[in-house]
Amino acid sequence: METSPGRRSRPAPSPDASPPPADDTRRHPPADGPAEPTTDGADEPAPGTRTPRAADQPGTGTPPPQSTDRPHLDPPRPHAADQQGAGAPLARTADRPGADPPAPGAIDQPGAGTAPPRTAGRPGTGPPPPGTAGRAPRRTTPTPGARVEPASAGPDGGPAPTAVPREPGRRHRRARSTAGDRLLALPLRRRRAGPAAATGPLPPGKEAGPPPETDADGSDDPPERSARRRAVLVALGVTAAASAAALVAGLLSWSPEPADPARPLTAPEAELLAAMRVTNQRDVRAGVRGSVGTGDARTEFVGWVDWARPLVYLDVGGPGAGTERGLVQANRSALVVRPDPAAAPSPAPPPLVPPADRWRLREPPAGRAVAAVRDLLLGLSANRTDPTSTEARWLGQDTAEGSPVDIFQASLPTAPTPTVPPTAVQTTAVPTAAVPTAAGASSGTSGPATGDGPSWRPRLWLDRDARLHRLEGRLPDDTPITVELARSDRPTLRPVDALGGRPGLPRALADGETDRLVRLPDRLRASGGATLTLTAPLGPTANLRAAGWLSWAQSAAYLALVEVDTPGRRTLLRWRSGQVARAEVPGDGAATEIPAAPPLPPPTGVTWPADQPPADDLDRLLDAALRAGSGPGPAGTTVRVRDDRVADRAVDVIEVRSGATALRWWIDRSGLPRRLELRTGRGVWAQLDLTPGRVPVLPATAPGPTAR
């Protein structure tokens, strides 16, 4: 058999060779020493079988020493799995102080086919032979003619890993560095115990030099990793603290960049603004929510505005509401309030059907609180587009009710303020033509307000359809006001009776309605008279209530009047043949909506003034009721306003206009009147509720003074 140089020849195994017994001396050498190697090949393992290793036998924790009397190659270092089992790192027994010398290896036993672990050349494996101090232990002399590879030094000065010899039946395997070798390859942190531990094996004939000089205090040692980590953490903490301080300082000193400056309107924006008020008139109604004033003087309101009637219906609250707390209805000429001092502080949407009683006529100061809100809301409508404003400015964009809007600042005409005589009770009738019939028209004004008159410059939030969603500004007295409009909240509003009552569809009278109106005087005379109650909001201090009788047969009336806000006063009113007289009597001091009937006969000791012709709206209302029973019937232009109900009876509301007087007769299906209304000079309706039937004899003349 040919052998390559430097490779040991192995005889082929005998076919009839039997496997070694379990107690083979290769695993357990005899106690008297290792056996002599054999050369007949009887102990060579069969191809494809793995030779048992000494490390696999129990009780052999360390590999045996290499035999020195057998020719061999420089034995390679076995894999860690061949020393301590699969997955265990290679144990460097020579590096541990006091380690026992390795036991004889299995390769030195007869028939062994595996290389023993490499122990020669490692520092600390045993005492050196005499005369070799300072050198690495010499390897055993190889057999003459065998090639000996010089030992090479690794990166750390130790022996470099060599190729593992191929076992029978196994491929050649490259040497792998073990965990111990990798640890030895790391930079050293502490000094080695001796020069032999710090250096690798020396070539033959070369003596080891003196150990390098080192400082005994460890100043040459590299810094510990924990110290570096602490330094890095401290640096990071300082950096984070400085960044946080800089951020806080920047936030405190930061101020938003100024908004884009206002600019003039473009042509489309100017057209949008000009169409705002006519768009409101076209939309008819919208929900309203807002406030006037600030702090304890703030007045809040919730409700609706109807630009077509026009009408404002609100629930007023807030700390500054005062006597106006409660329900409010207003048109351009009048404002009525239903006070509710026990109402919740915050307003809520008012009932769609307003209560029928306890309404008072109010005249708040112009430009203040509720009056300012009324004037502002009703001034947001017109029956034609406004002229293009050259002073309007575009301020920005926003969203309202999910729609994009543009914010403008522009002048708006003030809502027309009606001219009202200073007296509390109107003394002359107001022509019907003076009642506002369209936006911008009003009694006592020269026409619709325009940009040439008084104006103010609020901020307006308009969408792409020229619908107003929000308004902010300041009143002439510098009171802030905010109004938000809900364009989708558009219920039909019902005015209270003082403002005209439920809306209807006016039309001409039918034949039956005309016949009942013509035969009205006969039915009144046939009934003889009626019991009456009166509600007449004639002024802020003249919210009158009355009770008494009316007689068409006697052409007389006798009533007891009270002013709801001054319950201590009571007035007796006597009407006879177109003449009226009043007398003051003490009241009972109880505030009531419906006073008690006047005493019959009239109390003695009361001084009656001389009879006078009718002077105010109350006198004209009584005169119209009494004249209806003596003449041919109501004369003038007639129109059926609507059907309605009063005193649980269905009635037709027929309006009769004659010159400056507007009357509404509520006639039931039997042809008898149930209510008579007169439109007063303040634009409100005074009601005289009638219950036809027998009445007592009314006083005809004033009684004389009582003798003392």
Side-chain angles (χ1 to χ4, degrees), residues 330-407:
N331 55 23
R332 295 191 185 276
S333 60
L335 186 148
V336 294
V337 178
R338 189 176 188 269
D340 189 2
S346 297
L352 289 178
V353 178
D357 58 349
R358 297 171 50 196
W359 289 94
R360 314 283 197 268
L361 180 64
R362 290 287 187 262
E363 190 176 335
R368 299 287 185 88
V370 177
V373 174
R374 184 267 312 268
D375 297 341
L376 171 62
L377 293 177
L378 296 183
L380 291 176
S381 67
N383 54 7
R384 58 181 179 271
T385 58
D386 295 320
T388 304
S389 175
T390 58
E391 299 178 355
R393 311 290 287 180
W394 181 89
L395 301 181
Q397 290 183 330
D398 202 348
T399 57
E401 296 184 1
S403 301
V405 294
D406 292 304
I407 305 175

Side-chain angles (χ1 to χ4, degrees), residues 222-311:
E224 296 293 338
R225 179 173 298 180
S226 60
R228 291 197 302 270
R229 182 178 299 174
R230 283 195 299 269
V232 170
L233 292 177
V234 170
L236 291 177
V238 172
T239 303
S243 301
L247 178 61
V248 171
L251 291 176
L252 293 177
S253 60
W254 177 84
S255 60
E257 296 182 358
D260 294 336
R263 60 168 174 80
L265 303 186
T266 62
E269 293 170 349
E271 295 177 358
L272 200 69
L273 182 61
M276 180 194 69
R277 296 208 303 160
V278 73
T279 301
N280 291 338
Q281 183 77 13
R282 181 191 61 202
D283 288 350
V284 181
R285 292 176 293 272
V288 174
R289 178 183 293 271
S291 63
V292 180
T294 58
D296 295 339
R298 186 179 73 258
T299 300
E300 302 172 353
F301 53 88
V302 178
W304 300 274
V305 56
D306 188 328
W307 289 296
R309 286 196 61 88
L311 179 70

Side-chain angles (χ1 to χ4, degrees), residues 62-223:
T62 57
Q66 180 179 353
S67 175
T68 59
D69 55 351
R70 178 179 177 181
H72 64 281
L73 297 175
D74 184 12
R77 294 171 59 185
H79 191 264
D82 298 334
Q83 291 293 328
Q84 298 179 4
L90 179 64
R92 296 179 60 90
T93 59
D95 293 342
R96 294 195 300 268
D100 296 334
I107 194 170
D108 297 329
Q109 303 299 326
T114 58
R118 179 178 181 179
T119 59
R122 292 188 180 181
T125 56
T132 60
R135 294 184 185 176
R138 296 176 62 89
R139 294 186 176 87
T140 306
T141 305
T143 305
R147 183 178 177 181
V148 179
E149 297 291 340
S152 60
D156 57 347
T162 59
V164 179
R166 182 172 58 188
E167 297 178 359
R170 299 179 66 178
R171 288 189 176 185
H172 177 71
R173 185 174 57 184
R174 297 185 64 181
R176 292 180 295 177
S177 60
T178 63
D181 295 332
R182 288 193 297 270
L183 291 175
L184 290 176
L186 296 175
L188 299 180
R189 295 185 181 178
R190 290 181 175 84
R191 292 175 297 167
R192 296 287 182 95
T199 60
L202 298 177
K206 185 176 180 180
E207 296 183 357
E213 295 182 0
T214 58
D215 294 336
D217 57 356
S219 59
D220 291 342
D221 293 346

Side-chain angles (χ1 to χ4, degrees), residues 524-630:
L524 293 179
R525 287 190 296 266
S527 64
T531 303
L532 63 86
T533 57
L534 180 139
T535 303
L538 303 181
T541 59
N543 291 283
L544 303 180
R545 304 294 186 267
W549 300 275
L550 181 147
S551 175
W552 288 288
Q554 305 175 38
S555 187
Y558 183 43
L559 296 83
L561 296 172
V562 296
E563 209 282 324
V564 292
D565 293 330
T566 56
R569 297 175 55 187
R570 190 181 187 193
T571 303
L572 297 179
L573 184 147
R574 186 199 64 197
W575 179 281
R576 183 75 175 183
S577 300
Q579 301 292 317
V580 63
R582 290 182 173 89
E584 298 288 338
V585 295
D588 55 7
T592 178
E593 279 293 308
I594 301 177
L600 279 176
T604 60
V606 177
T607 302
W608 290 85
D611 294 344
Q612 297 178 355
D616 57 17
D617 291 331
L618 176 59
D619 296 342
R620 281 188 294 274
L621 179 60
L622 291 174
D623 182 65
L626 290 173
R627 286 180 180 274
S630 59

